[in-house]
């Protein structure tokens, strides 16, 4: 009846099995649950039952459980396990999840954990840790199915069957030569359709799409987005097959990279989620805010340069928030279009020229529309046609430049190999702020005799 | 040698085959290419070769080509095809891609296209089109493998083989009863491990994770993110299996939804990419900008209410951009954390309380830090300790409120079923702008005698 039960009902069932010390019943329940659900159940379990919960679990299930938990919880579980079991569990964990767990740990602690593992497994992990974070080398698993090109379809199917339990994907069989170089790929689907005695050489794809160990994880994810593969083979510089990156991990990469783009665009600081402590979150957000504070001081000193103008026509201050707000926003709009566009577009001169001309067009259209509107409003509100003109023309100019800078600055940064999202959010806001103030007060000062 | 050629070399090879009118050679080249690469080759082909390119393609390949192209290109290809071939190609296209193509088309045009299709296929499409856009019903394909629970493993494998060419995924076999209700699922991997004479009933998972046809596509994508499935079964309200949503489509959903969040947070208007025309992009961006314009006028009228204060101490204007900029930014920071957090967190009272208290803590820490800093700067710059205090205390207060509003407003909107991203970006900026001006000038007015 587990299949129709709610999570709460299942949780009660699990607690009952733990209380009654019935391991069989416990396993019968867990058999029906997905690893994610088991992790949720563990997470919500009262503290006093957790020890026995872990004791009842097989090493296999514990490895799956660890893969689903966040880092804090992983460490909590590892602390509760006996040393001897820890090694077994880590052996069974996916390499990429284990590498992520060890990342940031002290060398001493890593050594302690790896000590309990099989040498062959721990060596693989140590090797993975030599690749830079967020590259394909950190993402890959060595649990793939490999075959040779002289195998028959039947032999390949046999190999697949013997790997089935262990492999991360059974959708592709990778063909390697005697030097472990990647020479082809056969999909499981093709095997099902082929005749048993056909030779792999004759049915394999030889134009294999692969990524290098040092490829950025976002690029690997983009390959899967384009090609709709369920896994991508990862090779070293000699085209030796090192591992595969699977779609589930790459989907997590897509989410992570989107979050990073948003964090950077909103300058919200790195890696703040619901569980981050207040002090840590404040510490991560402060650098941007302090930068903004000094930027604000620059704006302030520009205004102070026009103090004479401002004290003659205090009404000029009324339109300051509107002009800088709108210029900032139009810049952010262009920026967002460019940053996200870079995810799925390849850049060349033609694309860039077209994009910049388009943004210029957008700037002119919105500048003229908003400029006329605010000129009329300013005129009717303050009863001075010249004030209306000054505000309207300023807005027209700042919107055009705001749009253009929002498009060109990230493109320039991208060209020079700087992540456009991180540098350009606050950068564009600042530049636009400064430019809009100079334009506005500059024009106002020119026409000051008409304004007073 | 195609396997080691660059895209340009392959493009030349294709053009040569087209010029020499060699269909066999053409097909030999395309055999080695992925659908995405074929689409890229077609896209970059000189116009004069396109007609023959399409003529040489099998209906099967044309269907795959259409699935890879954007909407404008799809229509271009369909226009170039003969009517008779069009029907065949549409029959072979994935339902979800076809539904996306037909979306937004006039009823007349849809009828024209569906007319050439097999009745059974066109009926499925028409049925799909009755579900709201961006729901599971629009995403699903009916090309899944279904079995009955009394099948043996051997029978299931036979069924899978006969479906292999046609099915969108061969990773799962869905078990249905005589009313087509979903009662279980077996993974292909489990079949490989099981004995040939075992009965499906004994090895299937009965607690099937499924989504309803009306489920929002983002929610379905989240299920796949959580469970790492390669497909999710989609059922109607009677639990009848209607189709499956596959991971490749759901990965596209994740990207699309992340882009939408960014568009909304940056108020950049819907669906603007590199190919959008200037006039269309301006039209989509203008509503937000005009809204911001009127919001700017509100800020302006608040300042005008403090005209007396401002004309006595013009230096107050120097700190306006800094205060409103920082308050706006701190609000956006909190907002981004909450909006993206909602993607992966389930909300309950405990989580919300913790989150709001955390943000309050963050607000106090950054408020005190930045407040002290700006008070010192203002004092040394303007030589007035009271001005320093007014600016510092104002910043402290506005940063606390900015942080809190950035966290609470999206949560409130979410609670009332409004998308927090769309409503809260400009909303928070406005509220924070207005609040910061009132606080700043309010405090300044209170201490005006010390400032002059």
């Amino acid at each position: 009846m587990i299949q129709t039960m709610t999570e709460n009902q299942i949780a009660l069932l699990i607690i009952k099995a733990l209380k009654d010390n019935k391991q069989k019943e416990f396993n019968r329940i867990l058999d029906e649950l997905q690893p994610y659900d088991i992790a949720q159940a563990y997470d919500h379990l009262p503290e006093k039952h957790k020890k026995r919960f872990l004791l009842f679990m097989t090493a296999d299930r514990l490895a799956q459980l660890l893969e689903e938990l966040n880092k804090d919880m992983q460490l909590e579980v590892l602390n509760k396990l006996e040393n001897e079991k820890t090694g077994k569990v880590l052996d069974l964990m996916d390499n990429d999840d284990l590498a992520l767990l060890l990342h940031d740990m002290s060398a001493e602690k890593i050594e302690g954990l790896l000590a309990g593992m099989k040498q062959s497994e721990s060596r693989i992990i140590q090797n993975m840790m030599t690749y830079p974070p967020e590259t394909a080398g950190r993402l890959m698993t060595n649990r793939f199915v490999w075959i040779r090109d002289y195998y028959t379809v039947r032999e390949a199917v046999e190999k697949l069957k013997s790997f089935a339990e262990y492999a991360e994907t059974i959708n592709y069989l990778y063909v390697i030569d005697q030097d472990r170089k990647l020479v082809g790929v056969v999909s499981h689907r093709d095997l099902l359709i082929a005749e048993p005695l056909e030779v792999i050489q004759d049915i394999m794809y030889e134009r294999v799409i692969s990524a290098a160990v040092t490829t950025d994880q976002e690029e690997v994810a983009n390959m899967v987005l384009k090609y709709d593969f369920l896994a991508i083979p990862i090779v070293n510089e000699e085209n030796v097959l090192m591992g595969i990156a699977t779609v589930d991990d790459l989907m997590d990469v897509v989410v992570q990279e989107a979050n990073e783009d948003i964090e950077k665009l909103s300058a919200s600081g790195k890696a703040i989620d619901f569980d981050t402590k207040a002090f840590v979150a404040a510490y991560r957000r402060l650098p941007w805010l302090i930068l903004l504070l000094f930027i604000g001081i620059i704006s302030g000193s520009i205004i102070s340069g026009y103090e004479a103008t401002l004290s003659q026509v205090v009404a000029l201050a009324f339109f300051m928030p509107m002009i800088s707000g709108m210029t900032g926003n139009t810049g952010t709009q262009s920026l967002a279009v460019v940053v996200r566009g870079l995810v799925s577009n390849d850049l060349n001169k033609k694309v860039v020229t077209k994009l910049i001309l388009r943004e210029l067009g957008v700037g002119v259209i919105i500048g003229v529309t908003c400029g006329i509107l605010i000129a009329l409003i300013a005129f009717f509100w303050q009863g001075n046609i010249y004030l209306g003109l000054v505000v309207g023309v300023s807005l027209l100019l700042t919107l055009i430049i705001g749009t253009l800078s929002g498009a060109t600055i990230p493109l320039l940064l991208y060209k020079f190999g700087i992540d456009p999202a991180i540098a350009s959010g606050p950068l564009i806001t600042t530049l636009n702020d400064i430019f809009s103030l100079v334009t506005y007060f500059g024009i106002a000062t020119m026409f000051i005799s008409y304004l007073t």
Side-chain angles (χ1 to χ4, degrees), chain A residues 98-378:
Chain A
L98 185 50
L100 209 60
L101 166 61
L102 298 181
H103 179 64
D104 278 348
M105 266 190 196
S106 67
E108 204 180 347
K109 196 133 193 217
I110 292 180
E111 209 173 308
L113 280 172
L114 294 185
M117 290 177 68
K118 277 190 214 149
Q119 270 233 324
S120 57
E121 288 286 333
S122 71
R123 206 173 301 134
I124 290 166
I125 292 297
Q126 280 168 319
N127 191 31
M128 279 181 81
M129 303 289 288
T130 63
Y131 301 114
E134 308 210 342
T135 59
R138 285 287 185 109
L139 266 187
M140 66 189 183
T141 165
N142 62 339
R143 299 185 184 176
F144 55 85
V145 187
W146 61 267
I147 51 175
R148 298 294 300 274
D149 60 2
Y150 53 78
Y151 282 22
T152 61
V153 166
R154 178 177 292 156
E155 284 168 331
V157 170
E158 283 310 312
K159 179 88 183 248
L160 182 67
K161 271 192 189 168
S162 70
F163 269 64
E165 203 156 354
Y166 174 80
E168 278 256 321
T169 177
I170 55 164
N171 288 287
Y172 307 109
L173 297 89
Y174 297 96
V175 187
I176 57 177
D177 67 10
Q178 67 277 15
D179 302 321
R180 296 187 57 86
K181 287 188 185 175
L182 179 65
V183 294
V185 63
V186 177
S187 75
H188 190 173
R189 192 190 296 257
D190 290 339
L191 280 192
L192 290 179
I193 297 163
E195 293 301 321
L197 290 179
E198 273 186 278
V199 177
I200 294 301
Q201 165 83 57
D202 299 333
I203 63 165
M204 73 185 187
Y205 262 100
E206 291 177 60
R207 191 176 158 80
V208 193
I209 312 284
S210 65
V213 276
T214 50
T215 310
D216 188 277
Q217 60 175 7
E218 188 166 17
E219 220 172 290
V220 185
N222 277 342
M223 293 171 75
V224 164
L225 276 170
K226 281 199 241 174
Y227 287 108
D228 292 343
F229 291 151
L230 298 170
I232 293 257
I234 311 293
V235 295
N236 71 6
E237 59 274 27
E238 272 116 32
N239 200 34
V240 171
L241 183 57
M242 306 297 285
I244 62 167
T246 52
V247 68
D248 54 324
D249 294 329
L250 293 172
M251 203 156 163
D252 293 338
V253 167
V254 168
V255 173
Q256 186 192 331
E257 297 285 342
N259 284 347
E260 282 179 18
D261 274 354
I262 292 177
E263 280 164 7
K264 289 173 199 159
L265 284 172
S266 65
S268 61
K270 229 186 133 188
I272 299 173
D273 61 27
F274 281 16
D275 297 323
T276 313
K277 297 267 175 299
F279 187 76
V280 177
Y283 179 78
R284 287 185 181 154
R285 283 163 60 165
L286 263 175
W288 281 127
L289 288 170
I290 290 177
L291 185 69
L292 275 174
L293 192 145
F294 282 99
I295 285 166
I297 296 299
I298 297 175
S299 302
S301 63
I302 291 173
I303 304 175
S304 81
Y306 293 102
E307 189 170 355
T309 307
L310 190 57
S311 52
Q312 277 178 277
V313 191
V314 175
L316 284 172
F318 306 166
F319 300 96
M320 265 171 51
M322 186 274 302
I323 287 187
S324 71
M326 287 189 66
T327 312
N329 190 258
T330 194
T332 315
Q333 287 182 339
S334 296
L335 171 65
V337 170
V338 172
V339 166
R340 287 312 282 179
L342 289 175
V343 172
S344 43
N345 286 274
D346 298 321
L347 282 195
N348 56 46
K349 221 169 172 177
K350 203 179 123 199
V351 172
V352 169
T353 316
K354 200 179 128 198
L355 183 67
I356 291 180
L357 285 177
R358 200 271 307 271
E359 289 298 307
L360 178 63
V362 171
V364 171
I365 297 171
I366 61 182
V368 169
T369 316
C370 296
I372 292 175
L373 195 60
I374 195 68
L376 290 173
I377 293 173

Side-chain angles (χ1 to χ4, degrees), chain A residues 51-70:
Chain A
K51 187 107 189 177
R52 184 171 282 168
F53 186 100
L54 297 177
L55 200 69
F56 274 6
M57 299 256 282
T58 57
D60 225 2
R61 279 239 171 85
L62 282 169
Q64 285 183 340
L65 175 69
L66 283 176
E67 288 165 16
E68 296 290 333
L69 295 175
N70 66 32

Side-chain angles (χ1 to χ4, degrees), chain A residues 81-100:
Chain A
L81 291 182
E82 290 138 40
N83 268 345
E84 178 210 10
K85 209 169 182 180
T86 305
K88 255 190 226 162
V89 171
L90 295 184
D91 279 344
L92 289 164
M93 256 180 95
D94 287 342
N95 297 333
D96 51 327
D97 290 308
L98 185 50
L100 209 60

